[in-house]
């Protein structure tokens, strides 16, 4: 008992010393006596204080080397089911169609002017390639489906543009993201904003959003490593051995899981950073707190969103392509009219606005949920 008290006394004295400059001889003597030197004690105290402040101000559901109980880390959300979420998002957009329809047309025109539309020759080349590969063995419906899939996967919105065109593409879609969130936030607050209000006022957090995008790019590096190493493994025949294939599968699953874990909160941070006065790191921290123990739920909704996007493309573009094939069979001069490229651009703008509204509504459900 006396030995314990003799150890505590010099520890308290060392903390109270104002001067943290210690000679190497004192460090050695302190190590021999089993106590920390003054500068190490001060650093340890600061780290402990910072950690306590972090645990006090942020959501911490797990502790290292401690057992976690289900009731301690399970967090619910007052969100409807997946189908309800998808259909009510359509309802929000169609309710404000007088605002979104001119917005889609404006962004499509800006894209055509600044970036350019997909060349009709490129689209016609895809159609000729499908015709030559399949001859007459498939009908127009299956041909349109293959043409739609080929157009999207080979860059349906691209025209072989350079880096400047790619930069304009990012800026235009970023403007759509910010304006859509601005309008939704005003509508949820009970206001009645016009489209021009969104165009004039929504671009304030542009720099903050770009910084969050940089963080997202860094978080995607593990998935990029999988894409790079996969091509190298296929060329070298590394995956031909079952054991090596299993090792690579474990590596790929780990890298993709890390990226999905990080992106699940960064997607929410892209919405949180649009709040006036919120800095990028504060938005990332707040999003991490909101998504604690809810990441799988968001990933499930994102996967369902991808399924809905595929349905939208099929329902809207397949009839347009069938009509385009029918009209080109009647009138030859329509072959030079870019009907499909422009419609594809307009549908893509609508889908981007839909995805923004879909994610923003889930973000509002996270904020509105009152935890005990």
């Amino acid at each position: 008992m006396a030995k314990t008290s003799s150890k505590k006394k010099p520890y308290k004295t060392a903390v109270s010393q104002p001067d943290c400059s210690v000679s190497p001889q004192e460090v050695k003597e302190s190590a021999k006596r089993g106590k920390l030197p003054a500068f190490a004690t001060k650093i340890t105290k600061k780290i402990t204080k910072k950690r306590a402040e972090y645990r006090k101000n942020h959501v911490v559901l797990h502790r290292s080397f401690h057992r976690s109980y289900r009731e301690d880390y399970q967090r619910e959300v007052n969100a409807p089911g997946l189908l309800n979420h998808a259909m009510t998002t359509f309802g929000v957009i169609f309710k404000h169609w007088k605002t979104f329809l001119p917005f889609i047309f404006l962004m499509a025109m800006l894209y055509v002017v600044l970036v350019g539309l997909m060349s009709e020759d490129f689209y016609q080349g895809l159609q000729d390639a499908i015709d030559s590969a399949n001859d007459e063995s498939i009908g127009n419906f299956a041909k349109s489906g293959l043409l739609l899939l080929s157009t999207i996967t080979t860059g349906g919105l691209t025209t072989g543009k350079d880096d400047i065109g790619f930069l304009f593409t990012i800026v235009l879609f970023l403007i759509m993201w910010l304006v859509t969130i601005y309008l939704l936030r005003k509508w949820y607050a009970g206001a009645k904003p016009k489209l021009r209000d969104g165009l004039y006022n929504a671009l304030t957090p542009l720099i903050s959003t770009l910084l969050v995008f940089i963080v997202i790019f860094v978080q995607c590096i593990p998935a990029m490593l999988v894409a790079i190493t996969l091509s190298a493994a296929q060329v070298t025949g590394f995956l031909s051995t079952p054991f090596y294939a299993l090792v690579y599968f474990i590596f790929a699953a780990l890298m993709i899981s890390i990226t999905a874990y990080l992106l699940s909160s960064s997607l929410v941070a892209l919405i949180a950073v649009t709040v006036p006065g919120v800095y990028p790191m504060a938005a990332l921290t707040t999003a991490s707190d909101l998504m604690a123990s809810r990441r799988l739920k968001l990933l499930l909704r994102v996967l369902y969103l991808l399924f809905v996007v595929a349905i939208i493309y099929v329902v809207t573009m397949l009839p347009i392509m069938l009509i385009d094939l029918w009209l080109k069979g009647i009138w030859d001069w329509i072959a030079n009219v870019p009907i499909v490229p422009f419609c594809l651009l307009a549908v893509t703008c609508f889908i981007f606005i839909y995805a923004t509204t879909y994610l923003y509504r889930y973000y509002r459900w996270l904020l509105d949920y009152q935890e005990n």
Side-chain angles (χ1 to χ4, degrees), residues 104-125:
I104 292 173
F105 182 77
L106 174 63
M107 299 310 298
M109 288 293 101
L110 287 175
Y111 190 94
V112 172
V113 172
L114 297 176
V115 182
L117 198 61
M118 182 182 68
S119 175
E120 183 66 21
D121 295 335
F122 176 78
Y123 175 73
Q124 189 66 35

Side-chain angles (χ1 to χ4, degrees), residues 111 115-119 122-123 126 147-161 313 341 344-345 348:
Y111 190 94
V115 182
L117 198 61
M118 182 182 68
S119 175
F122 176 78
Y123 175 73
L126 289 176
L147 191 58
L148 174 61
L149 182 62
S150 302
T151 305
I152 295 175
T153 55
T154 56
L157 300 179
T158 62
T159 56
K161 51 183 178 289
Y313 268 124
L344 180 63
L345 175 60
T348 302

Side-chain angles (χ1 to χ4, degrees), residues 228-252:
I228 295 172
T229 55
L230 179 60
S231 59
Q234 290 176 344
V235 171
T236 57
F238 181 80
L239 301 178
S240 59
T241 305
F243 175 75
Y244 291 155
L246 177 61
V247 171
Y248 183 81
F249 174 77
I250 296 174
F251 164 76

